Amino acid sequence: MDHFPIFLAVEGRRIVVSGGGETALAKLRILLKTTARITVLSGAPAPDLVKLADQGKITLIARAFGPGDALCAALVYAANDDAAEDARVARLARADGALVNIVDNLEDSAFITPAIVDRDPVTIAIGTEGAAPVLARAIKADLEERLPVSLGLAARVGKAFRKAAEALPMGRKRRDFWADYYFNAAPKVVETQGAAGLDAALSELLAKHLADAPTEGRVDLVGAGPGDPELLTLKARRLLDRADVVIHDRLVSPGILELARREAILIDAGKEGFGPSMTQAQICALMVDHGKRGAHVVRLKGGDPAIFSRLDEEIEALEAAGIAWSIVPGITAASAAAAGIGQALTKRGRNASLRIVTGHDMKGFAEQDWRGLARPGTVAAIYMGARGARFIQGRLMMHGADPATPVTAVENASRPDMRSIATTLGQLAATLEAEVLTGPVILLYGLCPRTAEAALPLPHPTSLADRKEEFA
């Protein structure tokens, strides 16, 4: 993002506009919604500008912008519909120390004015960094329709009540009160009693929330999916928005963490195979500690929480501490990787089952039913298998797997930088050792990318006994 969005305090401060035509008037329609002191400079002001000055809404100076006119100004707009004049105004204003916007000149402007949805004091700013003004206007129109005009009234009354609401403890308890007010009490009261009933409604609601029992903590064990934020489930998205604490794995993408509330505590509980890790005991202790303090905790796990994530150990720790929990499934990496190469994980006539195995466990490279995996027609998703590729290759071929069996390594499944590396079992270790793999990798044994499927020879469906001479 090239422009950092902020809300600038302008109450009582000067905003200067240079220009006297329609462009200047368009900016004033937004600026007049503020409590700033607005000065307009123009040698030939339009009649509507003169009228605004007569009404006391602006200070109109009937001359061109000059040196010193931007002193102590919070913002300056160059809106003269003349590139040379706008450049001159911008140069003088910068010399006075002001932030300058040249209308329709993004490159030379220090700030941009977003499209605004005004439900004062609720203000929604929509910006596209100049790339798509039409899109910003469409979003504005959509939000205008969705947000009732009474929202601003409820917010103004609520703003005056914030001090009283501090009687509630900071965090989830206080958020529940305000959510109850804005989404339940306020709309009903405004509809039936109007603004007059809001003060009493707030006092009654606060008394009710103060009398309620302390909020109990809970932990939701949530699948973050393979990395693409759009593959997050609606339920997972909603829980992230409500969580006080998010304890996340290393493989959870930054785009998904961005969906957490800004006030939420984010704790990296990342683990890396054969590398530094937070211990499982530490992770369980964190969940229990925050849960006992009444926090809503989201334990965010890459992929699906029920696949190779030590879910049972975390549930046992929560149950032992008496903390409520739930599981929210996620899309697992095997599904995303297969989708990325255009293949199904099961296919009639090819494989009626799918094996999901891990390349390593806590003790190192993991032993599997290699004889079963080596049978012709087997399809397996091997998680965390890249570093153990030579070990996996050796075990499978030792138990009779055809070296021509297709294997696809998928790195960063579902993410923008996803890539697939098609090879065969006989070339697996050499192929992966020649690649620079920095992201999470899943091996799809028995599958190749659909575009390459026809080019790779299929394993010959013979038994190990029929092929004993190859291994003699």
Side-chain angles (χ1 to χ4, degrees), residues 219-251:
V219 176
D220 294 303
L221 302 131
V222 177
D228 181 353
E230 292 188 353
L231 293 180
L232 201 66
T233 65
L234 292 173
K235 189 169 187 178
R237 174 68 183 87
R238 186 171 67 251
L239 291 172
L240 267 177
D241 189 55
R242 295 177 180 176
D244 301 303
V245 180
V246 178
I247 303 172
H248 63 90
D249 285 349
R250 177 179 66 89
L251 297 182

Side-chain angles (χ1 to χ4, degrees), residues 19 21 31 71 117 122 151 162 184 195 203 225 249 258 274 292 295 301 313 322 336 343 350 369 410 440-441 446 464:
L31 296 175
L71 288 173
V117 178
V122 177
L151 179 65
R162 293 191 70 83
N184 296 312
S203 297
D249 285 349
E258 280 291 317
F274 307 103
K292 281 187 172 180
K301 296 169 172 286
E313 295 171 59
Q343 288 284 15
R350 183 191 67 193
D369 172 16
V410 180
V441 176
L464 179 60

Side-chain angles (χ1 to χ4, degrees), residues 50 53 66 119 180 241 273 277 297 342 348 382 390 412 429 454 461 467:
V50 176
R119 295 291 186 269
D180 200 0
D241 189 55
S277 302
V297 180
R348 185 185 304 174
I382 306 174
R390 188 167 294 279
N412 296 320
R467 301 175 58 219

